[in-house]
Amino acid sequence: MQELTQLLKDKFGYETFRPGQQALIEKVLAQESALGIMPTGGGKSICYQLPALVIDGLTLVVSPLISLMKDQVDALNEMGIAATFINSSLTGNQINERLQQAARGEFKLVYVAPERFETYGFQQLLKQIPVGLIAVDEAHCISQWGHDFRPSYLKLAEVITHLPQQPAVIALTATATPQVAEDILHCLQIPAQNQIKTGFERKNLAFQVVKEPKDTYLLEYLRVNRGQSGIIYASTRKEVERLFALLQSKQIKVGKYHGGMNEQARSESQEAFLFDQIEVMVATNAFGMGINKSNVRFVIHAQIPGNIESYYQEAGRAGRDGLDSDAILLFAPHDLQIQQFFIDQSELDGAYKQKEYLKLREMSQYGHTQMCLQRYILRYFGEDCPDCGKCSNCLDEREVQDITLDAQKVLSCVKRMGERFGKSLITKVLTGSKDKKVTQWQFETLSTYGLLQSWTQSDVTQLIDFLTAEGYLNPEEGQYPILKISNLGIEVLKSQRKVMRKQAAVKTLVVDDALFERLRRLRSQLAQEQNLPPYLIFSDQTLHELAEKQPQTTLEFLQIKGVGENKLKKYGELFLAELKEA
């Protein structure tokens, strides 16, 4: 072990191993196959790079991305470790030359794409080269339950298990649900007891769900955090281009990255980001895997991604250096339609599409839940943790109200409709709609018909989304899921459990009246100077909320009802100065 710690210090510059690293390395050195599940930034690469220096023979590293291979090989060569890669960016002659060098033992590590294992020539070569270790990076790609399934990974598993020398296999991933982990173990014939999981929790990340107008919030966030490095993800090339143009017009040092750009343009953009020549990268999910930039302070998703695995992997690119960083989702329910369209248009078979719809629904519920956001994500991966105390839900100080009766009305309606319909029709029944589907099924005769007729359909839909996100209702698989009552929901129906929800508190004027008057005087003064009616500057409601919440920063100020980007620019500093004197 002393020798390994010395190698860690001499070659990689670290004094001690991170959680999970030592256990995985010991398994591999004992020639046992192992699966490592560690969060993004958890130091997965060292788990095979260090053993490669000790093990006899070649270490083959299976990696799905060309940019990732080049980054890793450059870093290893910089440390004096002989490594190379073989992928489609090379000519046939270059590939043959590197393979011959590998056969002569000139490299300790060779990075290859999974597709390479499908070629007969490469399979034959593997029988002649002494391979001591095979590292399978992004191992979740092997599972049909994974968010990034690749058939070439399945072929790779088949080839590995038939190699004559049977080298140890180390599989590594940052995003594996229990089901995906089981698949990896099975496909690569790894003993279950050799799964080492360090936990997915990222204590330095503050997760936020923001439902403000996107552009306004984004511009203000970037203004407040000017000089910091960050990534903004969007789902479509069109939205990447739009946001890029918007930020450029505000003199923000911004780059863009998406599949519609040529390789050189993408490469230049990535390089500029890595070298801090630009501060913000606006990109589709084509950007980021294998980017080892440690000082990314924020990752903002301007549109909702398709599943929690992708979201957590992308969000996890913030704060790899362990410093406090933000992971923000700008949540707008209509963005779900984009992801739904991607699934609809995909060439996946029916069963696989159903899985993708299910994952999208879990992601949607992340936007609706009032649970601690870190805890919600970890629960999805089969873990639990205490509330993080720093996400937007943990810091939400809205009043908690007992909504058990309203929840019972919804659950009772689901029950009386036979648990055979989705939220759209349930909403119509509860609000007393005369829609033809309601009458066609004779649901107007139900005792629950119109129970929430004083509510808007939008508010009832949000209540159903909340009950689903909190686990009182279970959606079945499918594009238009039907809702069934969970065991938790049954407890609520039987009045054995209460349902609590954070609500905007309805308050009488328990605000600082003196402060409210001072804000009114400032408003009057500004109105006089500009010859405007005072209410056009800010309404009384806005002043009351300012007096009640007393925001201290421009971002907090922006979240007050009635404050937009323009008014923030014109009046923000003056009102914030007044509030700071309070």
Side-chain angles (χ1 to χ4, degrees):
M1 205 51 231
Q2 200 175 345
E3 184 194 348
L4 292 179
T5 311
Q6 197 57 49
L7 265 177
L8 182 72
K9 173 82 180 103
D10 294 346
K11 288 292 185 185
F12 301 94
Y14 299 117
E15 297 284 347
T16 55
F17 287 104
R18 289 195 197 178
Q21 287 180 331
Q22 187 176 324
L24 280 164
I25 289 168
E26 284 174 351
K27 293 277 183 207
V28 167
L29 292 180
Q31 292 187 304
E32 291 183 42
S33 292
L35 165 62
I37 302 174
M38 305 159 95
T40 304
K44 291 184 287 296
S45 307
I46 281 177
C47 297
Y48 58 82
Q49 288 173 349
L50 195 149
L53 303 177
V54 181
I55 289 171
D56 288 334
L58 183 70
T59 293
L60 269 183
V61 185
V62 182
S63 174
L65 285 178
I66 290 172
S67 62
L68 173 61
M69 290 186 202
K70 189 176 181 316
D71 278 2
Q72 298 262 22
V73 167
D74 287 350
L76 287 166
N77 289 337
E78 197 64 34
M79 288 186 268
I81 298 169
T84 191
F85 61 82
I86 292 164
N87 61 35
S88 57
S89 70
L90 304 174
T91 64
N93 286 340
Q94 287 173 317
I95 289 171
N96 288 334
E97 191 184 327
R98 291 187 186 192
L99 286 172
Q100 283 163 20
Q101 286 176 282
R104 292 196 298 269
E106 291 179 29
F107 299 117
K108 288 305 291 176
L109 296 103
V110 175
Y111 285 73
V112 292
E115 290 76 13
R116 187 69 42 191
F117 284 79
E118 293 178 28
T119 65
Y120 177 76
F122 188 70
Q123 288 178 30
Q124 293 306 108
L125 188 78
L126 284 181
K127 290 172 184 173
Q128 297 158 30
I129 298 178
V131 177
L133 175 64
I134 295 180
V136 181
D137 208 2
E138 308 297 344
H140 56 268
C141 297
I142 221 164
S143 170
Q144 294 195 49
W145 284 97
H147 67 286
D148 198 13
F149 170 61
R150 301 187 184 205
S152 55
Y153 264 76
L154 273 182
K155 181 67 180 171
L156 146 86
E158 201 181 300
V159 174
I160 289 173
T161 52
H162 287 94
L163 284 176
Q165 62 263 54
Q166 281 300 291
V169 175
I170 181 168
L172 296 154
T173 178
T175 49
T177 60
Q179 193 167 20
V180 169
E182 207 176 296
D183 262 9
I184 298 168
L185 294 171
H186 172 73
C187 291
L188 293 171
Q189 296 182 10
I190 297 170
Q193 68 271 22
N194 284 6
Q195 175 180 321
I196 291 161
K197 193 172 174 181
T198 61
F200 291 100
E201 190 176 0
R202 290 287 305 277
K203 290 185 177 175
N204 64 319
L205 291 190
F207 289 89
Q208 297 173 51
V209 172
V210 172
K211 296 174 182 174
E212 313 293 325
K214 287 184 187 182
D215 289 2
T216 307
Y217 180 88
L218 203 52
L219 290 172
E220 186 54 20
Y221 183 90
L222 295 177
R223 193 187 72 73
V224 171
N225 292 284
R226 193 172 279 278
Q228 300 290 1
S229 182
I231 304 169
I232 298 168
Y233 281 109
S235 302
T236 63
R237 296 171 185 181
K238 186 179 174 184
E239 184 64 359
V240 167
E241 291 287 352
R242 189 189 74 77
L243 288 172
F244 172 74
L246 172 70
L247 301 192
Q248 219 178 22
S249 74
K250 303 292 180 185
Q251 282 73 55
I252 291 165
K253 291 179 183 172
V254 62
K256 61 180 176 177
Y257 190 107
H258 61 68
M261 297 160 62
N262 65 45
E263 199 173 321
Q264 189 186 344
R266 286 202 307 270
S267 184
E268 285 170 2
S269 200
Q270 180 169 306
E271 201 88 335
F273 183 64
L274 291 176
F275 285 90
D276 289 337
Q277 291 156 2
I278 57 176
E279 288 171 7
V280 181
M281 178 69 88
V282 186
T284 59
N285 63 2
F287 176 77
M289 197 186 279
I291 297 299
N292 290 321
K293 187 173 166 69
S294 66
N295 65 333
V296 174
R297 287 279 71 84
F298 61 86
V299 170
I300 297 175
H301 280 78
Q303 292 172 304
I304 196 166
N307 52 66
I308 287 174
E309 292 104 314
S310 297
Y311 178 68
Y312 202 44
Q313 190 172 49
E314 288 157 15
R317 288 171 191 146
R320 292 175 68 123
D321 53 10
L323 296 180
D324 285 349
S325 304
D326 288 337
I328 301 168
L329 171 64
L330 304 183
F331 182 69
H334 63 257
D335 284 342
L336 291 163
Q337 291 165 13
I338 298 168
Q339 295 297 341
Q340 191 136 344
F341 175 77
F342 289 159
I343 300 170
D344 292 345
Q345 297 303 305
S346 68
E347 292 175 6
L348 305 166
D349 64 43
Y352 194 75
K353 275 189 181 180
Q354 298 309 318
K355 290 173 195 169
E356 292 306 299
Y357 289 129
L358 192 61
K359 289 181 177 193
L360 178 57
R361 199 153 53 248
E362 292 271 9
M363 188 68 233
S364 163
Q365 286 165 22
Y366 176 79
H368 290 290
T369 188
Q370 290 182 356
M371 182 190 293
C372 164
L373 294 173
Q374 172 90 263
R375 195 170 172 195
Y376 181 92
I377 292 170
L378 262 62
R379 193 182 67 166
Y380 177 81
F381 288 115
E383 285 183 20
D384 203 359
C385 69
D387 288 355
C388 71
K390 56 164 61 173
C391 73
S392 52
N393 282 356
C394 284
L395 296 174
D396 187 350
E397 292 177 357
R398 287 179 297 162
E399 201 172 277
V400 177
Q401 292 187 353
D402 185 338
I403 60 154
T404 308
L405 187 59
D406 293 330
Q408 285 172 331
K409 289 175 182 176
V410 172
L411 296 169
S412 178
C413 191
V414 172
K415 190 79 179 161
R416 288 177 192 282
M417 290 171 70
E419 297 180 88
R420 291 188 296 130
F421 298 91
K423 68 179 175 185
S424 173
L425 195 56
I426 295 164
T427 297
K428 285 174 178 169
V429 173
L430 282 162
T431 52
S433 164
K434 299 205 167 31
D435 184 273
K436 65 177 181 187
K437 272 197 175 173
V438 173
T439 51
Q440 180 188 327
W441 288 93
Q442 298 185 326
F443 285 148
E444 76 279 14
T445 62
L446 295 179
S447 58
T448 50
Y449 177 75
L451 268 184
L452 297 176
Q453 60 188 352
S454 61
W455 293 42
T456 65
Q457 289 201 1
S458 167
D459 285 343
V460 174
T461 301
Q462 280 183 33
L463 174 58
I464 293 172
D465 283 334
F466 168 76
L467 293 173
T468 308
E470 301 302 299
Y472 299 106
L473 286 167
N474 284 337
E476 284 209 337
E477 287 187 23
Q479 186 175 358
Y480 303 106
I482 63 173
L483 292 171
K484 291 186 178 289
I485 301 168
S486 69
N487 291 336
L488 277 183
I490 290 167
E491 287 178 27
V492 173
L493 274 177
K494 291 179 175 176
S495 298
Q496 293 167 351
R497 177 183 288 271
K498 287 187 172 184
V499 181
M500 309 302 286
R501 186 186 190 190
K502 287 177 179 172
Q503 306 276 17
V506 181
K507 294 184 179 177
T508 52
L509 279 182
V510 286
V511 297
D512 185 332
D513 288 334
L515 178 56
F516 176 70
E517 287 306 323
R518 279 169 57 184
L519 295 175
R520 265 173 61 139
R521 277 198 296 276
L522 175 58
R523 181 179 67 175
S524 298
Q525 186 188 322
L526 291 167
Q528 246 175 343
E529 285 168 11
Q530 296 175 71
N531 197 24
L532 284 172
Y535 72 86
L536 285 183
I537 291 173
F538 286 129
S539 69
D540 276 9
Q541 187 188 16
T542 299
L543 294 191
H544 278 305
E545 202 175 327
L546 284 169
E548 181 194 328
K549 294 188 175 167
Q550 298 187 27
Q552 297 298 301
T553 67
T554 49
L555 263 182
E556 289 171 0
F557 194 82
L558 190 58
Q559 286 170 32
I560 300 292
K561 246 185 211 150
V563 178
E565 189 184 359
N566 208 36
K567 289 193 177 183
L568 176 73
K569 268 188 200 162
K570 284 177 82 171
Y571 311 119
E573 279 183 33
L574 292 165
F575 278 87
L576 280 169
E578 193 72 37
L579 288 163
K580 278 171 187 167
E581 280 178 30

